[in-house]
Amino acid sequence: MEEMSSQVRLRLLPSARCLFDEPIQVKISRLKSRQVVTIKASSTDEKGVVFRSSATYRADGDGEIDLVRDASLNGSYVGVEPMGLLRTLTPNTLNTYFYKNKALEPHMVKFSVHDEEKHDRMLAEATNERLLMRDGVSRVPVKEGNFHGVLFIPPGEGPFPAVLDLCTFMSEKRASLLADKGFVVLAVPVFFEKPDISGKMHLDHYEEAVTFLKKLPQVGSKGVGVISRSKGGDIALSLAAFVPGIEAVVWINGCNANMGIPLFYKKRLILSPLMFNFSKVIPTDSGAKIIKYAIENPLDEKNKGSLVPVERAAGRFLFVASEDDLNWDSTAYVEAMVERLKRHGRSNFESVFYPAAGHLLEPPYGPFCPSALHGMLNFPVMWGGEPRTHAEVEVKLWKKIQEFLKTHLRCDDGHIKPRL
């Protein structure tokens, strides 16, 4: 071993193993006084795409660097940002999303320290294992009737509050991380395969998922919570309006009208589709398009049949809109829903608006994604968001979601079901 490199220490605190949504502290010690080094991070997603980031730091007089305290001088980000290396993980291809959707496999991030002066020689390395499931959470694939999904059950006896996670396409990330916090969560995708835009959607299939959750012996909440984003948002609103037993809905950057596909319930059409005008799509230099202005106005007379009658819902709503969402006009949709609820004398909602955040609000500490292939369209789209602010919003919102669901999905002790 060479004299210095064997000495340098790279520590991930409090532990190199943590949950995906927990921050870590990166500390480097035993460098030379004021030594300049580059810290690199890399991670491979579930499709085999490698994402990388790097930042240059100068050690203090004692040869130490602490990412919670010290500013990056240059690289993927500049300034003090303790989790900046994770936020800025980027692939070398444009319009690429970081796929981390399987709960059983941790998000592995490799950190390394390199000597600026000696041809980038590596001085130390460490791997951060970011788990989606804490110890004791169980994962059960479910295929029942007309729906399939994945169920996550926290450790312990319960009773637990129940949440349906309506992901647009199957992802276990948000559901497993919520189960870590003491919720029984069933992740059900809105689209099982490539969406059939010419077809029909049936609210009954999602109602089956709600009924399944309510019957679980571990569930203690009277009703079910629903968490949703994007296309999942209008399905969540429709469940709240037409299906009994929905106590709390988290709606993130969705629409106030039924998007794109006719919605049926009990064999009849309940909501006509709000359509797209492709001539209003705006191209950008990256090859990704802005589709925000291509969606017809849901408040136009001809689109009234697509508006979800949110005033019929008995449960509580948390409306979340990113003001820099380039996918939908989420802010306008929230304002329209709030106006509609007030007009009907309802006050069962709270709304939050986040300036400079984009469409893809996810659990915190994943790589920021500016643009990617749209699941329902066959071209990449811009999601929006100023990256650093967006990342800060994800941290705040994640706490808010948990508080909202805990508050409105109370488990009474009298509600414990007999064990089977």
Side-chain angles (χ1 to χ4, degrees):
M1 295 293 269
E2 292 175 61
E3 71 311 332
M4 266 312 282
S5 64
S6 61
Q7 298 300 310
V8 175
R9 282 190 75 192
L10 166 58
R11 285 178 298 155
L12 307 174
L13 304 171
S15 162
R17 269 184 107 223
C18 64
L19 289 174
F20 182 96
D21 58 355
E22 288 175 347
I24 50 156
Q25 183 174 15
V26 180
K27 278 186 116 164
I28 298 152
S29 53
R30 301 182 191 164
L31 292 165
K32 298 189 197 88
S33 175
R34 311 275 170 215
Q35 185 175 352
V36 175
V37 293
T38 298
I39 308 172
K40 299 183 179 182
S42 73
S43 184
T44 305
D45 79 355
E46 288 164 0
K47 296 200 165 180
V49 179
V50 181
F51 286 65
R52 292 189 172 88
S53 59
S54 68
T56 304
Y57 284 85
R58 184 189 302 279
D60 64 12
D62 298 323
E64 295 189 349
I65 294 169
D66 178 352
L67 266 61
V68 167
R69 172 195 72 185
D70 300 329
S72 160
L73 308 177
N74 61 52
S76 303
Y77 60 97
V78 172
V80 178
E81 201 179 337
M83 297 289 279
L85 285 163
L86 288 185
R87 169 182 72 75
T88 58
L89 282 166
T90 308
N92 53 16
T93 47
L94 282 171
N95 307 323
T96 305
Y97 176 72
F98 185 91
Y99 281 91
K100 180 73 212 85
N101 295 330
K102 299 188 175 94
L104 293 174
E105 296 159 20
H107 170 29
M108 305 295 279
V109 185
K110 196 173 199 173
F111 290 96
S112 52
V113 183
H114 300 258
D115 191 332
E116 277 281 273
E117 282 149 21
K118 296 197 177 156
H119 310 297
D120 207 30
R121 187 167 63 100
M122 185 159 74
L123 304 174
E125 62 180 334
T127 300
N128 183 198
E129 188 179 351
R130 306 185 65 77
L131 308 166
L132 281 92
M133 289 165 64
R134 73 162 68 244
D135 292 341
V137 171
S138 54
R139 175 190 177 277
V140 187
V142 178
K143 197 161 177 23
E144 293 260 331
N146 292 298
F147 80 90
H148 62 80
V150 180
L151 178 69
F152 294 93
I153 303 169
E157 282 288 285
F160 303 109
V163 176
L164 175 65
D165 183 339
L166 279 179
C167 29
T168 308
F169 294 93
M170 191 59 203
S171 171
E172 302 174 14
K173 179 167 60 186
R174 186 170 59 189
S176 56
L177 291 169
L178 271 179
D180 294 337
K181 312 290 185 281
F183 297 92
V184 167
V185 191
L186 175 62
V188 171
V190 174
F191 299 115
F192 296 117
E193 283 89 34
K194 193 87 182 126
D196 173 17
I197 309 240
S198 63
K200 302 172 174 179
M201 294 198 78
H202 296 275
L203 195 59
D204 316 64
H205 300 176
Y206 307 101
E207 182 179 30
E208 286 178 33
V210 170
T211 306
F212 170 85
L213 261 175
K214 278 171 133 167
K215 287 184 176 160
L216 290 170
Q218 299 89 341
V219 167
S221 53
K222 202 164 74 256
V224 167
V226 183
I227 184 165
S228 62
R229 186 187 67 215
S230 205
K231 176 61 190 168
D234 55 82
I235 299 291
L237 297 177
S238 303
L239 278 172
F242 294 99
V243 173
I246 309 294
E247 295 274 293
V249 170
V250 178
W251 175 104
I252 304 165
N253 293 334
C255 189
N256 59 332
N258 173 51
M259 260 312 297
I261 307 167
L263 186 66
F264 285 74
Y265 182 49
K266 301 195 187 300
K267 298 197 167 59
R268 66 183 190 88
L269 177 70
I270 52 167
L271 294 171
S272 55
L274 182 67
M275 299 313 280
F276 237 76
N277 178 350
F278 284 100
S279 70
K280 292 190 176 167
V281 168
I282 303 168
T284 71
D285 294 343
S286 72
K289 298 178 163 79
I290 295 173
I291 62 170
K292 176 176 185 168
Y293 308 102
I295 297 162
E296 291 193 349
N297 182 355
L299 301 180
D300 284 355
E301 194 55 46
K302 63 171 181 160
N303 295 322
K304 288 279 163 71
S306 68
L307 285 169
V308 184
V310 283
E311 69 281 357
R312 294 179 45 160
R316 297 276 314 178
F317 290 114
L318 172 61
F319 298 131
V320 179
S322 293
E323 293 182 7
D324 191 36
D325 186 346
L326 294 180
N327 190 71
W328 320 73
D329 197 352
S330 309
T331 304
Y333 301 153
V334 170
E335 285 165 351
M337 286 192 287
V338 165
E339 201 271 324
R340 181 172 180 138
L341 285 163
K342 284 180 172 167
R343 200 168 66 234
H344 285 88
R346 307 302 308 277
S347 56
N348 56 333
F349 61 89
E350 54 193 281
S351 39
V352 276
F353 298 95
Y354 291 115
H359 182 69
L360 281 190
L361 287 175
E362 302 206 274
Y365 308 124
F368 174 76
C369 179
S371 58
L373 186 68
H374 192 287
M376 291 176 72
L377 308 167
N378 50 7
F379 53 81
V381 301
M382 298 293 294
W383 301 123
E386 187 283 306
R388 187 169 177 162
T389 308
H390 184 93
E392 287 164 1
V393 165
E394 287 183 331
V395 175
K396 276 187 226 152
L397 175 60
W398 189 232
K399 284 199 186 85
K400 190 168 189 66
I401 288 168
Q402 293 166 47
E403 285 161 12
F404 174 81
L405 292 172
K406 284 203 169 94
T407 304
H408 299 294
L409 296 173
R410 287 202 191 81
C411 290
D412 322 320
D413 291 337
H415 221 80
I416 301 174
K417 298 176 187 172
R419 299 264 162 242
L420 297 175

